[in-house]
């Protein structure tokens, strides 16, 4: 029962039966990693740290700021994006780490007029987008989804199975 991951998955009643008060454990701090210029033309929230790193490395000369929303999720993920959505509403709790450049403060980035999301093109990724969009109605999907959509339409992609890290994700169609 010493594993922090195991403790977070067990029912509270069971833990209490063993005399374990989960409230005594400090939660991990909410980190958000950012990069970009001081006055970006657009801000892109990126779900995955690998995609965030590739974006930062390949667009250093573009007026785009990047926010690794998964950087928050590393220590606070709930599978539906509710905590990620909480981060975009309650930025005061987040610890901002600057990866590159001199981007504006997190509040200014999340309040940007051109706020975009780029994440996994699967059910979970799009549900995370939806959860964040409730907190930030101006959030839109990035055009970076276009090549993924074309690849999917042509029959590409991977199955929702354990070995791809996507087990039990059912087919999902958005209303819009």
């Amino acid at each position: 029962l010493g594993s922090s991951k195991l403790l977070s998955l067990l029912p509270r009643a069971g833990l209490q039966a063993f005399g374990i008060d989960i409230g005594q454990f400090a939660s991990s701090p909410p980190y958000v990693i950012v990069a970009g210029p001081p006055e970006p033309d657009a801000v892109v929230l990126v779900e995955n740290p690998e995609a965030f790193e590739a974006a930062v490395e390949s667009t250093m000369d573009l007026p785009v700021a990047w926010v690794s929303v998964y950087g928050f999720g590393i220590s606070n993920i709930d599978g539906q994006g509710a905590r990620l959505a909480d981060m975009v509403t309650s930025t005061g709790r987040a610890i901002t780490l600057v990866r590159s450049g001199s981007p504006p403060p997190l509040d200014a980035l999340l309040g940007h007029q051109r706020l975009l999301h780029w994440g996994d093109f699967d059910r979970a990724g799009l549900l995370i987008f939806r959860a964040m969009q409730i907190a930030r109605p101006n959030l839109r999907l990035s055009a970076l989804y276009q090549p993924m959509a074309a690849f999917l339409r042509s029959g590409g992609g991977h199955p929702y199975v354990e070995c791809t890290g996507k087990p039990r994700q059912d087919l999902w169609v958005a209303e819009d």
Side-chain angles (χ1 to χ4, degrees):
L1 290 175
S3 169
S4 61
K5 291 179 183 171
L6 178 62
L7 286 176
S8 66
L9 296 175
L10 293 173
R12 282 197 182 267
L15 292 170
Q16 289 172 344
F18 283 105
I20 299 171
D21 178 9
I22 196 83
Q24 291 181 349
F25 297 95
S27 62
S28 301
Y31 292 104
V32 178
I33 306 167
V34 299
E39 295 183 27
D41 289 346
V43 175
V44 183
L45 307 179
V46 184
E47 181 184 342
N48 300 314
E50 296 85 4
F52 171 82
E53 189 60 29
V56 170
E57 287 294 321
S58 63
T59 63
M60 290 181 155
D61 57 337
L62 296 178
V64 177
W66 302 93
V67 179
S68 178
V69 293
Y70 190 78
F72 183 87
I74 287 171
S75 57
N76 295 288
I77 193 72
D78 64 1
Q80 299 298 318
R83 290 188 182 160
L84 295 175
D86 182 54
M87 182 275 298
V88 300
T89 349
S90 309
T91 57
R93 298 179 331 145
I95 298 169
T96 304
L97 306 173
V98 177
R99 160 64 179 84
S100 177
S102 53
L106 184 58
D107 283 338
L109 290 170
L110 294 176
H112 198 281
Q113 185 176 359
R114 289 191 61 206
L115 186 62
L116 307 166
H117 172 75
W118 180 35
D120 287 352
F121 194 36
D122 60 14
R123 181 177 190 257
L126 293 171
L127 287 173
I128 288 170
F129 162 73
R130 292 276 184 154
M132 289 191 299
Q133 193 180 40
I134 290 168
R136 300 283 173 169
N138 65 319
L139 180 65
R140 299 291 176 254
L141 289 174
S142 167
L144 293 165
Y145 277 99
Q146 290 175 354
M148 293 188 288
F151 184 62
L152 185 64
R153 279 192 297 275
S154 72
H158 58 71
Y160 287 159
V161 295
E162 188 73 38
C163 67
T164 62
K166 308 287 181 178
R168 299 177 302 279
Q169 286 194 29
D170 298 327
L171 179 64
W172 176 69
V173 178
E175 308 81 49
D176 59 356

